[in-house]
Amino acid sequence: MNDRGLRGAGWRSTRERWTRAARDAGVRSDADFLASPAAQEAAFNAYVADNERQLRDLGVFQRADDPARNTVRDFDGAPLRLTRSGLAAAAHREGPTAVRNFLRRRDVGLPRPAPVQGRGDLSSFNEITRRLREFADVPYEPVRP
């Protein structure tokens, strides 16, 4: 988990200090964190729970439960089913805001944006599309940090 993920999980402050949540799990240094699989699991669960909260707050998760809105057209025109597992996987890879922006763009039929420099054809939207497809049928349970 990188520093951005640890901040999203509430385990690191912007000044790269370990927070109370981390200290409560026995983490006071990078070495402590790397030596503790339990702390790593707890931090990851907190990160995923924060992504889920953001997806709810942005109105993205609700689309998976709404038959009138749980399908969008991919950039090639094929239907793309929205499920909570696919949305969570896409948010894990690209972030909840990027997923919301992807859906907004698809809702109005805008074309695929230009590739992101340094990522070749692996633009954020390509990765979101891939994850929505690959994780669509994976069973999903909300994370309890």
Side-chain angles (χ1 to χ4, degrees), residues 17-57:
R17 294 195 176 127
W18 293 98
T19 64
R20 171 173 273 178
R23 289 190 308 271
D24 288 349
V27 175
R28 290 175 174 68
S29 68
D30 290 354
D32 289 345
F33 182 71
L34 293 173
S36 175
Q40 293 171 36
E41 184 75 14
F44 181 75
N45 285 341
Y47 169 74
V48 172
D50 183 59
N51 276 353
E52 291 173 348
R53 179 196 56 78
Q54 290 181 59
L55 288 169
R56 279 190 307 277
D57 292 351

Side-chain angles (χ1 to χ4, degrees), residues 67-89:
R69 300 179 64 223
N70 69 0
T71 302
V72 295
R73 293 277 170 200
D74 190 357
F75 292 106
D76 63 7
L80 185 59
R81 189 166 46 98
L82 304 177
T83 65
R84 286 182 178 250
S85 56
L87 292 165

Side-chain angles (χ1 to χ4, degrees), residues 5-131:
L6 289 167
R7 284 193 310 270
W11 279 55
R12 293 274 283 225
S13 71
T14 56
R15 293 174 283 174
E16 298 188 12
R17 294 195 176 127
W18 293 98
T19 64
R20 171 173 273 178
R23 289 190 308 271
D24 288 349
V27 175
R28 290 175 174 68
S29 68
D30 290 354
D32 289 345
F33 182 71
L34 293 173
S36 175
Q40 293 171 36
E41 184 75 14
F44 181 75
N45 285 341
Y47 169 74
V48 172
D50 183 59
N51 276 353
E52 291 173 348
R53 179 196 56 78
Q54 290 181 59
L55 288 169
R56 279 190 307 277
D57 292 351
L58 293 169
V60 173
F61 256 176
Q62 294 84 328
R63 291 190 63 163
D65 302 326
D66 182 351
R69 300 179 64 223
N70 69 0
T71 302
V72 295
R73 293 277 170 200
D74 190 357
F75 292 106
D76 63 7
L80 185 59
R81 189 166 46 98
L82 304 177
T83 65
R84 286 182 178 250
S85 56
L87 292 165
H92 172 70
R93 177 68 173 87
E94 297 296 330
T97 302
V99 174
R100 183 207 50 204
N101 293 343
F102 169 86
L103 293 174
R104 284 182 173 173
R105 193 170 188 101
R106 298 315 312 134
D107 286 343
V108 296
L110 292 174
R112 183 186 320 265
V116 176
Q117 186 163 356
R119 290 184 76 182
D121 68 346
L122 298 177
S123 74
S124 177
F125 284 8
N126 288 346
E127 286 298 298
I128 291 169
T129 299
R130 185 177 65 78
R131 287 194 167 241

